[in-house]
Amino acid sequence: MPDNSSMGLSVSDQLSRNLSALRRNNPLAAEAIESASPHPLDWGTAQTGMPTAQIRVASQGRPLPLSSRYDPEAEARKLTAELEDETVASAVVMGFGVGYHARCAANTLGPAGVLVIFEPDVGLLRAVLEHVDHADWIGRSNVFVFVGCVERSELTARLDTQAATLAQGTRLIAHPATRRLHAEDLAQFSGHVTELLAYCRTNLATALVNAARTCRNLAMNLPEYVAGATTDELHLAAEGRMAVCVSAGPSLVRNIHLLTDPKWRSRIVVIAVQTALKPLLDRGVRPDFVTALDYSPICSRFYEDLPPLPDVTLVAEPKAHHTIPDAFPGPVRLLKNEFADRAIASLARQRSALKPGATVAHLSVYLAEHLGCNPITLIGQDLGFSDGLYYMPGTAVHRVWEPELSPINTIEMMEWTRIARMRGTIRKREDIHGRTIYSDEQMLTYLKQFERDFNKMSDAGRTVLDATEGGMPKAHTQATTLLAALQEHAGDTPLELPEVPAPLDAARLRQLPTELEARVAELRELRQVCVQATRLLDDMQDAIEDNRELNRLFKKLDPLKTRVFGDLLRAFELVQQVNVIGAYHRQRNDRLIERSGVTDHEKMARQLRRDRDNLKWTGEACVEALEIFEDAAVRAAALARGVNENAAATAESSTTSPLVSAA
């Protein structure tokens, strides 16, 4: 047997060195490897002097090589050749072998790429890490290692923050020996990866398309955010009590009637997504909370013709369109938001963080968690087209469709059209009853997010019950019926929740226009700085061959940088929230420059072009941010004037004598 590494370490020392590096970014994988028994391998030395190994398999006539016995490095380069393309941002290596191809992939992608490694045989990976030194690369922060049986939720949870890079171009590389030994495991993992990539593309597309609209909604909701109620009072207000999170999926018709029974209703927390509000009210059920986060003003239609709801609280993300809290006929609480806090500066308040949701259904679950509820029970959460339907009959969406209905264009036809519109992304699955169900890429993305969340909740000791009684199965939940859940978990006493929030704080509302005018002034100045810096970068590109002139121009650029990251830092950070497309291009350009392998001179030229492009995007985002905050300042000033006029009218009324009033 050859030396365990070029360093000549013992088996235990080599393993310890590799695991120490692996633990930096992959502690769970390191723990699993340390606990495993090493797989017996036949070790030898390749003609190039590198350690190589074979694995004995009962079904094979002879040992199966895990790497080339002649030139493992050349084999690794061949396996990973497609990663040389600069447009490839990440790779998924399925099967570790002796690890040379994984090392080659890590070095080719560099620090700006993402490398995902999957090895189904933990014992084999331990044996390799006992004999071959991989500590120089396996501990990098952009290397993610998965071992054994991997669930979709685990993959999503760990790679969620890498979505932008994964969406820029990912290649799957299967190790030949692993493919022969563990074909089913690799097929399952590659299926998880395919769904993850679809999830990443969906999230990235949503962020790119909705960034400016989100910032506008946030700015227009600042009066309610500054002067209205927060969700702080709700923290742990229903600790240990059962919550029922009501979504509007087709299966809701199977158990919604149970919530009409006052015996159950008074002893549980009911949280409804906005599309389920009218079906509940139509049946005489008033939820405790309604959740909203939609960008579009059309969603305010969900609140048309509602009676006063003083005992139903709207819990909304500040990114929801401002017509939604304006239209809701009851109390409103808004979540914490960093953009909003940055925008109002000195008016920002300490708030407990209630997680924002990808959908209103996710927000409902997070609200139940914030309230301290246990268990959290899901109904109407199909995440698929149960019975060939998209929504439960009678939802607010159906009422929005009413003007389009005719004897030919029925509700059923509208439902079918809604499903057929997604036909390019429809996927065939199996529902909780073992029957065929169709879902789509978007809902499967939401399912992955739910499973990631439910996994964390389970680890924290919180129970999630899936009482939908239809639709897609969900990992880390207990399938049950709503009746069984109520019988077992509804409390013994009526539930009391915090009182409804007070009206808007007039004093805080009056201060908001001044703060927004200050943001407008800062954004105008930042726009001018971008113009000046762009001119300097243009001059630098022209003077790329003249080091003396370049140094002079760099010195002129320094005061502008100091200004941006000093007095204008708040405005710059707000603009970056609008400039998601620019940030995406910046990250992509950084990665391409890192991998370009050009001379220092050409690298500088590319960096100048990158900075010029980045300034262009930033300048355009400044213009958009200015429009947003100017409109928000006008809205805030109008609301403040209304408060002042009401206060003046009240004061005049209280000081007028009865005789004059009568006259």
Side-chain angles (χ1 to χ4, degrees):
M1 184 181 294
D3 286 342
N4 297 314
S5 73
S6 58
M7 302 175 64
L9 299 176
S10 67
V11 166
S12 60
D13 287 344
Q14 183 61 77
L15 178 66
S16 177
R17 173 176 161 80
N18 281 324
L19 291 184
S20 178
L22 184 62
R23 280 193 183 91
R24 295 173 203 156
N25 195 47
N26 297 274
L28 295 179
E31 182 181 339
I33 294 166
E34 190 171 37
S35 302
S37 299
H39 199 298
L41 302 177
D42 295 336
W43 287 92
T45 304
Q47 288 186 359
T48 57
M50 300 176 69
T52 186
Q54 300 180 101
I55 183 171
R56 295 184 180 275
V57 184
S59 60
Q60 303 286 334
R62 56 183 179 178
L64 189 63
L66 295 177
S67 66
S68 170
R69 290 171 290 176
Y70 303 98
D71 190 344
E73 284 191 330
E75 178 189 51
R77 288 193 297 272
K78 184 177 180 180
L79 276 174
T80 60
E82 58 184 324
L83 304 185
E84 297 288 346
D85 185 343
E86 291 183 0
T87 63
V88 177
S90 55
V92 178
V93 170
M94 297 184 292
F96 194 78
V98 186
Y100 299 131
H101 62 301
R103 174 191 289 163
C104 187
N107 292 335
T108 301
L109 291 171
V114 171
L115 176 60
V116 178
I117 297 171
F118 169 59
E119 175 50 61
D121 188 340
V122 187
L124 183 148
L125 188 50
R126 173 172 175 137
V128 171
L129 294 183
E130 287 179 346
H131 290 82
V132 183
D133 184 25
H134 290 295
D136 63 327
W137 65 271
I138 206 168
R140 296 175 188 171
S141 60
N142 63 331
V143 176
F144 298 84
V145 179
F146 297 86
V147 297
C149 181
V150 180
E151 296 185 0
R152 286 179 306 186
S153 57
E154 179 188 354
L155 195 68
T156 304
R158 291 204 56 211
L159 297 175
D160 193 33
T161 58
Q162 309 300 319
T165 305
L166 291 168
Q168 288 178 28
T170 299
R171 297 291 186 272
L172 274 64
I173 299 171
H175 182 255
T178 310
R179 187 167 50 207
R180 291 178 63 180
L181 294 170
H182 303 285
E184 290 186 8
D185 293 318
L186 264 59
Q188 183 182 55
F189 189 80
S190 64
H192 292 344
V193 170
T194 300
E195 292 183 358
L196 172 68
L197 294 177
Y199 160 78
C200 292
R201 287 191 295 269
T202 299
N203 279 3
L204 179 62
T206 300
L208 294 177
V209 170
N210 289 327
R213 183 163 52 172
T214 298
C215 293
R216 173 169 287 278
N217 289 347
L218 287 164
M220 299 302 278
N221 275 323
L222 285 175
E224 185 79 49
Y225 189 81
V226 165
T230 73
T231 59
D232 283 20
E233 289 178 298
L234 303 180
H235 186 54
L236 302 182
E239 190 169 13
R241 301 300 292 265
M242 176 180 174
V244 176
C245 296
V246 185
S247 296
S251 296
L252 186 58
V253 295
R254 299 178 185 173
N255 48 28
I256 189 174
H257 64 280
L258 293 173
L259 299 181
T260 64
D261 188 336
K263 175 182 66 176
W264 304 124
R265 177 63 194 89
S266 63
R267 289 149 51 186
I268 60 174
V269 179
V270 175
I271 305 171
V273 302
Q274 60 184 12
T275 45
L277 175 59
K278 283 192 174 180
L280 287 171
L281 294 177
D282 288 345
R283 291 163 174 79
V285 179
R286 296 168 82 94
D288 297 295
F289 302 99
V290 178
T291 54
L293 51 71
D294 295 271
Y295 302 93
S296 173
I298 196 172
C299 293
S300 62
R301 297 278 305 275
F302 297 158
Y303 308 106
E304 289 179 352
D305 304 321
L306 292 181
L309 299 173
D311 54 343
V312 180
T313 300
L314 176 71
V315 176
E317 290 194 27
K319 69 182 182 184
H321 198 276
H322 70 88
T323 55
I324 293 174
D326 287 353
F328 188 73
V332 177
R333 296 181 185 269
L334 296 183
L335 276 64
K336 175 182 174 61
N337 182 273
E338 291 183 5
F339 179 92
D341 284 337
R342 192 173 287 123
I344 60 178
S346 61
L347 291 177
R349 295 176 283 183
Q350 287 291 332
R351 296 173 183 246
S352 59
L354 194 168
K355 288 187 294 187
T359 67
V360 281
H362 291 84
L363 179 56
S364 295
V365 171
Y366 300 156
L367 175 57
E369 187 179 24
H370 183 74
L371 286 160
C373 296
N374 196 18
I376 298 172
T377 307
L378 312 176
I379 63 173
Q381 191 53 256
D382 291 69
L383 293 169
F385 309 124
S386 299
D387 303 319
L389 299 174
Y390 200 97
Y391 299 107
M392 168 198 174
T395 64
V397 173
H398 289 167
R399 300 194 184 190
V400 172
W401 289 347
E402 282 177 358
E404 303 177 51
L405 298 181
S406 69
I408 297 174
N409 194 38
T410 63
I411 282 286
E412 291 75 15
M413 182 61 73
M414 294 285 283
E415 281 274 350
W416 168 244
T417 301
R418 175 68 180 82
I419 296 170
R421 196 163 64 233
M422 307 296 291
R423 59 184 174 273
T425 64
I426 286 178
R427 302 289 181 263
K428 188 176 180 179
R429 293 291 186 270
E430 191 175 276
D431 73 3
I432 63 169
H433 304 297
R435 300 177 305 203
T436 297
I437 186 175
Y438 288 93
S439 186
D440 62 30
E441 197 170 276
Q442 184 180 60
M443 287 195 285
L444 292 174
T445 294
Y446 297 153
L447 174 62
K448 293 183 192 66
Q449 293 169 317
F450 269 129
E451 291 178 336
R452 174 198 63 193
D453 296 329
F454 297 157
N455 187 24
K456 292 179 181 178
M457 292 179 187
S458 177
D459 290 343
R462 199 178 304 276
T463 300
V464 180
L465 304 176
D466 183 12
T468 295
E469 302 181 42
M472 294 285 292
K474 305 163 190 69
H476 312 293
T477 68
Q478 298 175 20
T480 185
T481 64
L482 180 57
L483 179 59
L486 290 168
Q487 290 173 337
E488 183 174 355
H489 299 287
D492 297 327
T493 58
L495 180 66
E496 293 185 8
L497 291 169
E499 294 182 3
V500 294
L504 296 184
D505 185 325
R508 288 178 60 81
L509 185 58
R510 292 189 192 102
Q511 299 175 62
L512 179 59
T514 302
E515 279 292 349
L516 293 182
E517 288 164 6
R519 298 295 85 73
V520 168
E522 292 164 0
L523 287 166
R524 286 175 179 158
E525 185 173 353
L526 179 60
R527 171 63 180 146
Q528 287 302 113
V529 169
C530 286
V531 171
Q532 295 172 39
T534 299
R535 290 171 182 160
L536 285 173
L537 285 174
D538 287 339
D539 292 342
M540 287 180 183
Q541 287 179 313
D542 293 338
I544 192 69
E545 304 291 342
D546 187 341
N547 288 337
R548 180 177 294 181
E549 179 65 7
L550 274 178
N551 289 334
R552 186 185 73 81
L553 293 170
F554 269 120
K555 287 179 181 178
K556 292 184 71 173
L557 195 61
D558 285 340
L560 298 181
K561 288 182 179 178
T562 301
R563 183 70 178 142
V564 169
F565 295 105
D567 294 341
L568 298 178
L569 179 60
R570 180 183 291 109
F572 177 74
E573 290 173 339
L574 290 170
V575 167
Q576 291 305 99
Q577 294 290 101
V578 179
N579 190 30
V580 172
I581 292 178
Y584 172 80
H585 283 287
R586 173 69 185 239
Q587 183 197 33
R588 182 177 180 275
N589 288 334
D590 284 345
R591 180 178 58 77
L592 292 176
I593 291 171
E594 184 68 32
R595 292 189 57 186
S596 61
V598 296
T599 63
D600 290 345
H601 186 272
E602 176 58 26
K603 186 174 183 178
M604 178 182 288
R606 290 192 180 196
Q607 289 171 334
L608 286 173
R609 288 195 294 271
R610 173 204 62 195
D611 292 344
R612 174 66 172 76
D613 289 344
N614 192 52
L615 272 173
K616 170 182 170 252
W617 287 105
T618 302
E620 291 178 1
C622 272
V623 173
E624 196 155 18
L626 262 172
E627 293 176 358
I628 289 170
F629 276 89
E630 286 170 347
D631 291 347
V634 170
R635 173 174 161 80
L639 290 173
R641 280 196 303 272
V643 167
N644 291 336
E645 290 168 2
N646 289 338
T650 301
E652 182 179 350
S653 173
S654 64
T655 57
T656 303
S657 70
L659 183 61
V660 173
S661 296

